[in-house]
Amino acid sequence: MTRPFGPQPAPDSGPRLGPAPAPGPMDTALTRLAGCRYPVVQTGMGWVAGPRLVAAACEAGALGILASATLGREETAAAIRAVKRRTDAPFGVNLRADAADARERAEMLVAEGVRVASFALAPQQDLIDLLKDGGVAVVPTVGAPRHAEKVASWGADAVMVQGSEGGGHTGPVSTTVLLPRVLDAVDIPVVAAGGFRDGRGLAAALAFGASGIGMGTRFLLTSDSTVPDAVKRAYLEAEDTVVTRAVDGLPHRVLSTPAIEALERAGGLRRLLLALRNARAFRTEAGAGWAPLLREGWAMRRSTGAGLGRTLMAANTPMMLKAAMVEGRTDAGVMSAGQTVGAITDLPSCRDLVHRTVREARETVAGLPG
């Protein structure tokens, strides 16, 4: 099926003399914690959530999260300052809790006055304490109630719950099942992620009791995203996603591509050789020597229980993502995607997307019976 390509107006839009005024703020525990206008989070996607997208999301009233896992420490500092040059709005930075220099990066966030630190893997309590003492809110992503309880007991300010519908690394439980269980388990703000793309989803999440929603694929597919046009076109033409373990040994929701199909067919030795090649490339990309890379690999092995082979395979993810998201190689890269990708048909600006989402949420609530 061929879909329209390029920035598209909202489906219900007609001729306008100028942009529609921004909707009024929505007050939730998330907006109060993060200082954003609306309870919408642009998630920290590697090679995608750079300064331009983050600043555009923040200027629109959402909470933008800068991805730093694929950046060296100095590159991360430069990216933070680039966001601050583009916007005065508060924003967040996604950190790897298992990185060898996680503490130094956390200290950088404190020094730079970053509002939120998000994590894919749960940070240890000393890292949470360092950030909180420096005025940075800590928001780990969790995939089970027990994980939410653990980080809440360590002092996390909020959690993001990602269900199986989400793109990238994912778990087996859907958002609609996982979200209420986590809400029942903790008394800190909960942000829902996995399967969200519009105001109806925001209204549903708020009705569950969440403090907001996180969207990744939907922000990737905006005119403010720096992802190459060929990749955006592949996303807009996609109908479905697949979950594969062939990339790095963990369940990963992606678009089906020749690269994914080849990895699925490949034997263990071929995958390991690819991992070693990508580990060397990632070492060069991040400006780190082999020693820090190996330390990070062992840290991941300790924190996740991964075997050595899977630890080495972890380098596949950032480099294969780069092949698609930076180099535009749709045939050779990994394109993480949430299940909602099949319902996305346009490329609005972040401003139009966020404002449309808020208006739709209010209209949805207003239209409920009674």
Side-chain angles (χ1 to χ4, degrees):
M1 178 176 69
T2 302
R3 297 181 179 173
F5 186 72
Q8 301 294 320
D12 60 346
S13 66
R16 291 177 178 171
L17 296 178
M26 295 183 75
D27 179 57
T28 73
L30 170 65
T31 62
R32 293 190 293 274
L33 175 69
C36 50
R37 186 177 178 89
Y38 306 119
V40 176
V41 179
Q42 164 257 301
T43 59
M45 301 163 281
W47 306 116
V48 176
R52 180 172 129 179
L53 180 62
V54 171
C58 292
E59 284 289 290
L63 175 66
I65 303 293
L66 179 72
S68 74
T70 55
L71 302 176
R73 199 186 314 164
E74 292 306 314
E75 289 177 306
T76 300
I80 290 172
R81 291 163 192 160
V83 175
K84 292 165 73 172
R85 286 194 297 270
R86 291 170 176 261
T87 182
D88 293 326
F91 64 96
V93 176
N94 181 259
L95 298 178
R96 282 182 56 188
D98 61 339
D101 61 350
R103 187 173 184 85
E104 290 81 1
R105 288 176 182 253
E107 291 170 346
M108 178 196 306
L109 266 60
V110 172
E112 293 288 346
V114 172
R115 185 65 173 259
V116 173
S118 74
F119 293 89
L121 293 174
Q124 295 298 318
Q125 186 162 5
D126 61 340
L127 199 59
I128 294 176
D129 292 343
L130 187 159
L131 289 161
K132 287 172 64 72
D133 289 346
V136 182
V138 178
V139 185
T141 296
V142 299
R146 67 181 184 277
H147 299 154
E149 291 172 332
K150 178 173 69 174
V151 295
S153 71
W154 289 348
D157 296 284
V159 291
M160 179 176 288
V161 176
Q162 179 176 307
S164 60
E165 300 94 326
H169 291 119
T170 188
V173 183
S174 68
T175 303
T176 53
V177 174
L178 183 59
L179 176 60
R181 292 184 61 201
V182 172
L183 284 163
D184 290 342
V186 298
D187 58 3
I188 58 176
V190 176
V191 180
F196 295 99
R197 67 180 179 89
D198 60 15
R200 292 173 297 178
L202 174 56
L206 295 176
F208 268 110
S211 297
I213 59 171
M215 299 192 294
T217 306
R218 178 65 276 197
F219 274 102
L220 184 156
L221 291 173
T222 61
S223 59
D224 295 301
S225 165
T226 59
V227 169
D229 286 350
V231 176
K232 290 181 180 178
R233 187 175 294 110
Y235 274 97
L236 290 176
E237 293 175 351
E239 294 291 336
D240 202 359
T241 60
V242 296
V243 176
T244 179
R245 290 180 177 268
V247 178
D248 59 11
L250 298 171
H252 199 125
R253 186 175 294 282
V254 298
L255 299 186
S256 181
T257 65
I260 294 298
E261 293 169 3
L263 280 175
E264 290 280 2
R265 294 192 300 267
L269 178 59
R270 184 177 171 188
R271 291 181 189 175
L272 186 58
L273 290 174
L274 174 64
L276 290 170
R277 186 182 69 188
N278 280 335
R280 182 166 59 183
F282 186 59
R283 175 186 64 86
T284 302
E285 188 71 41
W290 278 107
L293 186 67
L294 290 173
R295 283 200 301 270
E296 290 185 17
W298 283 110
M300 175 184 286
R301 187 177 184 185
R302 288 196 305 270
S303 63
T304 65
L308 182 58
R310 203 175 84 188
T311 299
L312 290 172
M313 285 177 66
N316 283 341
T317 301
M319 298 315 297
M320 294 188 73
L321 280 170
K322 184 188 178 189
M325 301 304 161
V326 178
E327 300 167 6
R329 299 169 60 196
T330 58
D331 61 328
V334 166
M335 291 184 281
S336 299
Q339 284 186 311
T340 191
V341 68
I344 296 175
T345 60
D346 63 351
L347 293 172
S349 67
C350 285
R351 182 186 189 279
D352 287 344
L353 170 62
V354 173
H355 293 180
R356 184 170 86 194
T357 298
V358 173
R359 290 193 185 97
E360 287 175 351
R362 288 188 166 133
E363 290 168 2
T364 299
V365 172
L368 294 173

